[in-house]
Amino acid sequence: MIKNPQEYRRQSELERWAALRLMSVEESIALGESLLTSDIMRLAEFPDDDHPRSLAITLRLKPKAVT
């Protein structure tokens, strides 16, 4: 049971930011792409008919072979 919700929220936020700072560029891109292609994006509305594109393509990152 959480005894102090405010402290729990504060600590959780610090831990989330620490985890994000430790991510590599590739991990960050993968996370961004997974969010853009998730079911949540099906609910999003784009009034200017903008279709989300691959972040890697937008950043002009060249594909690498998985080793």
Side-chain angles (χ1 to χ4, degrees), residues 21-57:
R21 285 186 192 101
L22 292 174
M23 292 174 72
S24 68
V25 172
E26 291 83 7
E27 291 170 327
S28 298
I29 291 170
L31 177 63
E33 285 189 329
S34 66
L35 291 171
L36 286 173
T37 58
S38 71
D39 288 339
I40 294 171
M41 285 305 291
R42 291 191 185 132
L43 302 174
E45 294 182 20
F46 300 95
D48 59 352
D49 201 32
D50 181 25
H51 299 287
R53 292 182 46 184
S54 164
L55 181 58
I57 292 171

